Every structure is written in C-alpha cells, then in structure tokens.
Amino acid sequence: MASITRQAPNMTSDELDWRQKSFCKDWDFKKKGDPWHPASESEIAARPGKNLCWSCPAREACLADALAHNEKHGIRGGFTATERSRYRK
C-alpha cells in the first residue's frame, strides 16, 4: 500500500497563525482516522468532522481559506465541499 505524505504549502505568517490554532493540527490520523474526508458527504458520514470544526477556534479562517482556494474536497470550516460550493462566487 502506498504511503501518503501531507506537505503544507508555502504560507504567510497570517496563514500559519490560524493553522497553529486548529484542532486538526495535532490530530492523530493513524489512531483516530480522518473525519474531515469521510467516505461520502452524507450528513451522517460528515457529522464527526463537522462537529470538530464547529468547535474549532480556527473555523472561520479555515472556511475562508477553503473558499479562497476553491478547495473541492473534504470538510473545511464546518462545511462539506458541496456546501462550500454554494458560497463560491
């Protein structure tokens, strides 16, 4: 099975600031899985990731970043990709 390495893009200090406050920053994906990329976008499948996002201090900045970069996958800022697509211009 191939290994996936996540690498953060080059970021400004403002972008780093909100990411340092995010709940997902120190998430143990090996032990807890990835609630931000559920198998489907159904409400039941997305609920764990959305619940974590809604209590995260970086939620608004994360959502703004996802919208600004047209992120088409995963739960960001408490919204699925489909939900975020309604807010794109």
Side-chain angles (χ1 to χ4, degrees), residues 1-86:
M1 181 174 199
S3 172
I4 298 174
T5 302
R6 295 177 186 209
Q7 181 176 358
N10 292 330
M11 295 177 274
T12 66
S13 62
D14 287 340
E15 291 173 321
L16 285 172
D17 287 345
W18 74 260
R19 285 190 167 103
Q20 293 301 316
K21 298 174 190 170
S22 69
F23 285 168
C24 58
K25 178 179 79 74
D26 295 319
W27 189 260
D28 188 339
F29 289 92
K30 287 187 179 192
K31 286 186 180 177
K32 299 179 181 180
D34 186 348
W36 296 282
H37 292 90
S40 77
E41 287 195 2
S42 74
E43 185 58 36
I44 293 171
R47 188 174 297 140
K50 291 173 82 170
N51 286 345
L52 288 165
C53 287
W54 280 99
S55 57
C56 179
R59 186 189 68 76
E60 290 180 10
C62 180
L63 177 58
D65 180 74
L67 292 170
H69 293 97
N70 199 23
E71 180 63 50
K72 296 181 194 269
H73 304 286
I75 297 167
R76 298 275 311 270
F79 292 88
T80 65
T82 300
E83 292 167 336
R84 288 191 309 273
S85 70
R86 297 179 193 137

